Amino acid sequence: MLRFSKGHYFGIAILICSIGLLQLFIYWFNNQKDTTTLDLTPDEKNWLLAQNEIDSLKEAAQENSNKIYPFNPNFISDYKGYKLGMSEAQIDKLHQFRKQNKYVNSSAEFQKLTGVSNEWMKLYAIYFKFPDWVTNKTSKNYQSKHENTYQKFDKKESKIVVQDLNKANQAELEKAYMIGEKLALKIISERDKFGSFASMDQLGFIWGISPEAIADLNKKFQIRSSENLKKININTSTIKELQQFPYFNYTIAKNIVTFRSMNGDFKSSEDLTNVKQFPLEKLKIIALYLEF
């Protein structure tokens, strides 16, 4: 038979009292909370009502700031693009396209141009709003009124006049697909380093130019002159002279001179494949600038 000592009984009594006091405190606290506003002065009550109204307005404003309204995707700004989760490169593609006074006419064309993901399109394409005459092409006056001012994304150019890439200026380069001011100046700067381009393939090594832009540049330009092309003698140039060549650095220049001193003069560009750390992916282009 279980027996308790006096100490056990005393402990149990203290526990029961503690539970009772705790329940009384909770009851008092809840009643105090409910009657707090009863003790307020009229001014304090008015202030509390005003504060509640301000809080409600803040919540409504927050909801409105996150709400997305229908918009024309052709006019997405840098800020709006950032808010929608577009990358800087995707926004730039759209802006460069618009600089050519061209527009996208559908969600599919927008995705093809910018490269946004399918998930992005599911979230935001439902808000795209194009002009009525774009979405309703059955209108009788559609072509006569808008065809020239709102060009179709994949509209083919009637005739392309091929120009010399080594003589093209900034304005002429900007006519190429997705080539804006920055990329046009970058192409000219790269051309100046070599004196002249020796191959259209050199465009592929300029950072920031997309494959689509390069394809269009190849349609509009060719290498037709090379009078300013700066050649370099691979067998007599010093390390300092070699490292000035745009595709070389100090390490590559040093390795070329070291290999040359140990094995004799280079006979052809193929001999350069034996040089340590040589940029083999650019060998065909580099060969066009070399003298033996």
Side-chain angles (χ1 to χ4, degrees):
M1 181 179 180
L2 183 63
R3 296 184 179 183
F4 296 99
S5 64
K6 290 182 178 180
H8 289 153
Y9 285 117
F10 183 72
I12 293 172
I14 291 176
L15 179 61
I16 293 173
C17 291
S18 298
I19 294 172
L21 289 173
L22 180 61
Q23 290 178 335
L24 288 173
F25 174 77
I26 293 172
Y27 176 79
W28 173 84
F29 179 78
N30 289 334
N31 286 340
Q32 186 71 15
K33 184 176 179 180
D34 293 338
T35 58
T36 299
T37 56
L38 298 178
D39 298 331
L40 297 176
T41 64
D43 289 340
E44 289 174 332
K45 289 182 178 179
N46 291 333
W47 180 88
L48 184 61
L49 290 173
Q51 186 61 41
N52 289 336
E53 185 175 353
I54 292 172
D55 292 340
S56 298
L57 291 174
K58 285 183 178 179
E59 291 179 3
Q62 182 65 30
E63 290 179 0
N64 288 333
S65 67
N66 295 327
K67 187 175 181 180
I68 300 176
Y69 296 93
F71 62 93
N72 188 331
N74 285 288
F75 303 105
I76 293 177
S77 63
D78 287 333
Y79 177 74
K80 186 173 183 65
Y82 168 78
K83 293 285 288 183
L84 294 177
M86 294 177 67
S87 68
E88 183 177 346
Q90 291 167 346
I91 298 171
D92 285 345
K93 287 180 181 179
L94 176 62
H95 290 178
Q96 289 170 13
F97 183 70
R98 285 288 295 110
K99 282 183 179 179
Q100 302 173 56
N101 197 31
K102 295 180 180 179
Y103 299 79
V104 293
N105 295 330
S106 68
S107 299
E109 290 177 0
F110 179 85
Q111 185 178 23
K112 181 180 179 181
L113 171 65
T114 60
V116 294
S117 66
N118 292 332
E119 290 72 20
W120 191 97
M121 292 295 293
K122 289 178 182 178
L123 288 174
Y124 301 113
I126 56 175
Y127 299 104
F128 285 2
K129 181 175 176 62
F130 297 98
D132 292 338
W133 54 266
V134 173
T135 55
N136 184 21
K137 294 185 179 181
T138 58
S139 172
K140 294 181 180 179
N141 298 324
Y142 168 71
Q143 290 194 359
S144 61
K145 293 177 65 176
H146 305 291
E147 188 178 36
N148 293 328
T149 58
Y150 202 85
Q151 301 176 38
K152 188 171 175 59
F153 173 72
D154 58 354
K155 184 178 180 179
K156 296 182 179 178
E157 297 183 13
S158 56
K159 186 177 180 180
I160 298 176
V161 178
V162 179
Q163 295 177 278
D164 186 352
L165 183 62
N166 283 324
K167 294 183 178 180
N169 58 35
Q170 178 185 335
E172 291 168 337
L173 289 169
E174 287 183 16
K175 293 179 181 179
Y177 176 66
M178 294 178 65
I179 299 296
E181 178 184 353
K182 292 181 179 179
L183 287 179
L185 291 175
K186 188 178 290 187
I187 291 172
I188 293 173
S189 175
E190 188 75 2
R191 183 179 65 193
D192 291 343
K193 293 178 184 178
F194 295 93
S196 294
F197 286 123
S199 169
M200 292 295 293
D201 292 338
Q202 288 175 260
L203 295 172
F205 294 102
I206 301 176
W207 189 89
I209 303 182
S210 68
E212 295 85 358
I214 291 175
D216 196 52
L217 284 166
N218 277 284
K219 292 179 182 178
K220 293 180 169 65
F221 298 94
Q222 291 179 358
I223 304 298
R224 292 183 172 178
S225 63
S226 57
E227 58 265 20
N228 298 319
L229 189 144
K230 300 174 183 177
K231 289 212 169 189
I232 184 169
N233 193 308
I234 198 69
N235 288 318
T236 61
S237 298
T238 64
I239 293 177
K240 185 175 181 180
E241 290 170 335
L242 286 169
Q243 74 179 63
Q244 300 304 314
F245 184 70
Y247 291 152
F248 294 161
N249 55 31
Y250 173 78
T251 300
I252 295 173
K254 182 181 177 182
N255 290 342
I256 290 173
V257 173
T258 300
F259 185 88
R260 187 178 67 198
S261 64
M262 296 177 64
N263 299 277
D265 290 349
F266 295 100
K267 300 297 187 296
S268 68
S269 59
E270 293 298 321
D271 294 338
L272 292 168
T273 59
N274 298 312
V275 176
K276 291 182 180 180
Q277 301 181 15
F278 193 88
L280 298 177
E281 72 280 4
K282 301 174 183 175
L283 179 59
K284 290 183 179 180
I285 297 173
I286 294 173
L288 300 174
Y289 290 93
L290 299 182
E291 292 178 341
F292 294 89

